[in-house]
């Protein structure tokens, strides 16, 4: 388990490999994901980046997947760390279940340390953004990233 900012984040090879597979099966979805912010400059300064390099990036690059370069894998890991939402699994919190989800539309929301929305996962594994407080028409909608 890894701590970036204040919350534990578990990243292994599965999610990056799923995203890489989209490059070959669903190119439009892959391209939309690759347009998300990766914050690589900031992430690479953190001590935990060495963990990701050794335990996620290097093993994936070592697979020798055609047309997949190290820089692309680094970006994918950065996108995951920057844009995923904590979810629940079997009623357990992220801290216990270690599950995260990448949802493109909510990932594009504005950030504020004091958000006016909550993100919830429904029974169909779809994410819903709901107002946490009254939001006036035309006011910005903010989410609070926990990482």
């Amino acid at each position: 388990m890894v701590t970036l900012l204040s919350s534990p984040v578990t990243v292994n090879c599965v999610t990056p490999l799923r995203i890489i597979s989209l490059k070959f099966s669903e190119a439009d979805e892959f391209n939309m994901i690759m347009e998300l912010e990766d914050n690589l400059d900031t992430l690479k300064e953190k001590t935990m980046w060495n963990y990701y390099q050794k335990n996620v990036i290097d093993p994936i690059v070592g697979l020798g997947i055609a047309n997949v370069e190290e820089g692309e894998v680094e970006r994918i890991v950065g996108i995951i760390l920057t844009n995923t939402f904590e979810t629940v699994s079997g009623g357990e919190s992220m801290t216990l279940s270690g599950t995260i989800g990448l949802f493109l539309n909510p990932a594009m929301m504005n950030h504020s340390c004091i958000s006016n929305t909550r993100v919830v996962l429904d029974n169909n594994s779809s994410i819903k953004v709901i107002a946490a407080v009254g939001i006036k028409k035309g006011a910005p909608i903010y989410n609070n990233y926990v990482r």
Side-chain angles (χ1 to χ4, degrees):
M1 193 153 325
V2 178
T3 301
L4 288 180
L5 302 184
S6 62
S7 294
V9 179
T10 303
V11 175
N12 58 37
C13 294
V14 174
T15 302
L17 285 169
R18 286 181 176 169
I19 293 172
I20 290 167
S21 74
L22 292 174
K23 181 176 183 175
F24 306 103
S25 63
E26 301 286 340
D28 289 342
E29 283 187 43
F30 175 79
N31 290 332
M32 285 191 296
I33 291 170
M34 295 305 287
E35 290 177 11
L36 296 173
E37 179 61 51
D38 60 32
N39 289 312
L40 273 183
D41 291 338
T42 302
L43 290 170
K44 285 184 173 183
E45 292 175 3
K46 298 195 178 288
T47 56
M48 288 310 302
W49 186 256
N50 291 332
Y51 169 87
Y52 295 118
Q53 186 71 48
K54 179 181 177 186
N55 296 293
V56 180
I57 297 163
D58 290 345
I60 291 174
V61 172
L63 294 173
I65 302 169
N67 301 314
V68 176
E69 302 296 327
E70 182 172 353
E72 186 173 51
V73 178
E74 288 177 346
R75 285 211 59 237
I76 290 169
V77 170
I79 287 167
I80 291 167
L81 292 171
T82 301
N83 296 284
T84 53
F85 291 87
E86 297 174 355
T87 62
V88 294
S89 177
E92 296 180 340
S93 70
M94 163 64 177
T95 305
L96 298 175
S97 68
T99 57
I100 57 173
L102 180 60
F103 302 90
L104 294 179
N105 289 332
M108 300 303 290
M109 290 176 60
N110 291 322
H111 172 266
S112 173
C113 292
I114 303 172
S115 69
N116 56 8
T117 63
R118 289 186 305 151
V119 178
V120 295
L121 195 63
D122 69 16
N123 292 337
N124 297 320
S125 296
S126 295
I127 201 163
K128 290 184 180 185
V129 178
I130 59 174
V133 297
I135 304 172
K136 294 182 179 182
K137 185 176 181 177
I141 298 174
Y142 293 110
N143 184 40
N144 182 357
Y145 303 128
V146 293
R147 290 186 282 291

